[in-house]
Amino acid sequence: MNLSGRDFLKLLDYSSEEIIYLIKLAKAFKIKKHNHEPHNYLKGKNVVLLFEKDSTRTRCAFEVGAKDLGMGVTYLGPTGSQMGKKESIADTARVLARMYDGIEYRGFEQKIVEELAKYSDVPVWNGLTNEFHPTQMLADIMTVSENFDNIAGKKLVFFGDGRNNVANSLMVICSKLGINYTCCAPTQLFPNQELINTCQEFAKQNHSEITITDNIELAIKNADVIYTDVWLSMGENANLWQERINLLSLYQVNKELMQKANPNAIFLHCLPSFHDLNTTIGQEVYEKFGLKEMEVTNEVFESPQSKVMDQAENRLHTIKAIMYATLKK
Ligand code: CP
C-alpha cells in the first residue's frame, strides 16, 4: 500500500483497503508506543498545524505523533497566522508548502481544506471541518475493532444531530467497511440526502445497510456500538441551545437506552462531552435550562461499556499512521 504524497481530506477519497491499512498501521504504532520502542522514522521533516478552532485531542495527537516520528512541529492557532485576514488560502498553502513537509488544517468549510490541498504540493490533513472529521473516524473504528473480532456486519448507531461532521463521517466509514450504520435523529436533523445516496452505494458494495430514522426503539435494537456527540457543534450559535435541547433530549444516551442494545455493546463519543457540570458551558446550560447532563449521562460515560478514553488515545496512533503513510518515501 503506497499512500506517499496523498492528502487526507475526507474518507470518500479513500478505498476500504486503504482505510483498513491505516488502522492496521495505527495498531502497530500503538504497540511500539506502549513498548517505548523508538520510531522516529521521519526525522528531519517538519509539519505545520493550522487551527482556526480549538482542540485538545486532535492538536495533541498531531504534536505528539509528529514528535514521536522525529519531526519538528509548528502550531498556528486561531489568531496565529495571516490566513484569511491578510493572506488568501492559496497563498498560505504555497508559502507553507515551501517550508513544511505536511500541513494539518482544522476550521470551517470543507472547501478551505480542499483549497489548501489544491495549492500545496505537500500532503494536507483534515483535522475537522464543518462537514467531515476523518481523522476521528480511524480512531473510532480502531476502537471498535479492539472490542469485536470482526467489524463487518456490526451495527453502529449514532444518536444526535445526524448532519454534523462526526455523523457524516461515520456514515461514510461504516459504508466503506461493511458496518451497518443507523443514524437516529429527529427528522429536522437528518443527514444530507446526497451524502446518504453516496453512502448507500458504498454500503451496497460492502454488504451493509444505512438506516436513517427517528425511531429510537428500532435504532437501538441489536446495536453493537452506541455513539453520540454534543448537541451543538463548534462554531454554531449559542442561541440554538433551546431548540437543540427540545429536539434532542429524547435521544440522550442513558442506562435505559444502553440496556436495550446488545449485551456486549460499547459506548463511544468523540469528546469533549457534556456528561456532568464540570465545564463552563455545561454549567451555563444547567443554569439556563436545568439540564445536568446532555447527550450522555455520567452513568453511561463512566460505565465499563464506555470506551471513550481508549478512543481518545487511539487518536494519537491513527493520526501518526496518517502522517507516516503520507510522508514516507
Ligand atoms: N474529538 C476531537 O476532535 O477532539 P478535539 O476537539 O479536542 O480535537
Side-chain angles (χ1 to χ4, degrees):
M1 187 68 67
N2 183 6
L3 303 180
S4 180
R6 287 270 297 274
D7 299 311
F8 190 81
L9 306 178
K10 56 189 182 303
L11 289 165
L12 290 166
D13 305 334
Y14 274 68
S15 70
S16 312
E17 293 74 21
E18 288 167 341
I19 295 169
I20 288 165
Y21 165 75
L22 286 170
I23 294 172
K24 279 188 180 159
L25 188 57
K27 287 183 174 179
F29 277 128
K30 186 171 187 173
I31 293 168
K32 286 185 194 297
K33 182 78 176 172
H34 285 196
N35 290 341
H36 306 286
E37 197 181 312
H39 45 281
N40 55 347
Y41 309 136
L42 299 179
K43 205 170 166 198
K45 292 189 186 291
N46 290 285
V47 296
V48 61
L49 314 180
L50 269 175
F51 278 80
E52 295 199 296
K53 287 180 181 169
D54 292 337
S55 166
T56 297
R57 280 144 290 273
T58 311
R59 175 186 173 176
C60 295
F62 269 101
E63 285 211 21
V64 175
K67 286 174 185 171
D68 284 352
L69 288 168
M71 296 193 284
V73 184
T74 302
Y75 170 77
L76 295 174
T79 57
S81 79
Q82 311 278 19
M83 191 174 84
K85 300 177 283 286
K86 285 170 69 183
E87 194 152 39
S88 68
I89 295 157
D91 289 355
T92 305
R94 287 183 294 169
V95 169
L96 293 177
R98 294 287 181 108
M99 299 185 189
Y100 293 94
D101 300 286
I103 302 168
E104 183 273 358
Y105 172 79
R106 163 173 287 203
F108 298 92
E109 293 96 345
Q110 180 71 18
K111 68 178 185 206
I112 298 175
V113 78
E114 302 272 353
E115 196 170 345
L116 275 171
K118 181 177 166 191
Y119 288 98
S120 121
D121 54 7
V122 299
V124 173
W125 310 296
N126 177 359
L128 178 147
T129 58
N130 293 346
E131 291 87 349
F132 294 112
H133 197 0
T135 64
Q136 177 71 51
M137 292 305 111
L138 296 189
D140 297 348
I141 300 306
M142 177 172 170
T143 311
V144 174
S145 75
E146 289 173 335
N147 286 277
F148 297 101
D149 288 339
N150 193 359
I151 59 170
K154 290 285 175 285
K155 179 179 179 181
L156 186 151
V157 187
F158 177 86
F159 290 95
D161 180 353
R163 313 157 309 167
N164 80 14
N165 46 22
V166 166
N168 283 343
S169 307
L170 282 169
M171 185 159 65
V172 175
I173 198 163
C174 287
S175 67
K176 291 230 169 192
L177 298 184
I179 298 169
N180 297 307
Y181 176 70
T182 297
C183 171
C184 187
T187 52
Q188 296 93 321
L189 304 181
F190 275 7
N192 169 287
Q193 190 58 48
E194 200 181 324
L195 185 63
I196 297 173
N197 295 345
T198 304
C199 291
Q200 297 276 22
E201 282 304 309
F202 290 131
K204 205 155 72 181
Q205 288 162 24
N206 295 305
H207 315 290
S208 64
E209 285 179 4
I210 304 289
T211 307
I212 313 295
T213 181
D214 60 355
N215 185 328
I216 296 167
E217 297 302 320
L218 181 91
I220 195 66
K221 197 166 176 230
N222 298 326
D224 298 296
V225 182
I226 292 87
Y227 199 124
T228 190
D229 190 6
V230 290
W231 291 342
L232 206 61
S233 294
M234 262 188 293
E236 287 193 301
N237 198 313
N239 64 20
L240 286 169
W241 269 120
Q242 180 71 75
E243 183 189 303
R244 286 295 161 77
I245 289 167
N246 293 344
L247 282 171
L248 288 168
S249 290
L250 273 176
Y251 297 81
Q252 181 192 60
V253 177
N254 50 40
K255 190 176 167 191
E256 193 192 348
L257 185 71
M258 289 299 291
Q259 282 171 339
K260 293 178 183 168
N262 280 343
N264 60 348
I266 61 169
F267 170 73
L268 296 181
H269 191 308
C270 53
L271 306 183
S273 160
F274 295 122
H275 60 95
D276 59 24
L277 294 179
N278 299 326
T279 63
T280 315
I281 293 174
Q283 189 64 40
E284 280 169 11
V285 168
Y286 172 63
E287 281 161 19
K288 229 169 160 186
F289 306 105
L291 287 184
K292 286 188 174 161
E293 307 156 312
M294 284 191 260
E295 73 278 3
V296 57
T297 60
N298 196 52
E299 188 177 23
V300 170
F301 188 90
E302 297 295 352
S303 71
Q305 283 175 291
S306 172
K307 304 298 172 192
V308 296
M309 294 304 156
D310 293 335
Q311 185 185 4
E313 179 194 330
N314 287 339
R315 299 298 309 284
L316 167 63
H317 311 301
T318 46
I319 281 174
K320 193 184 286 179
I322 294 162
M323 287 192 288
Y324 176 72
T326 54
L327 290 181
K328 79 180 163 82
K329 286 284 167 246

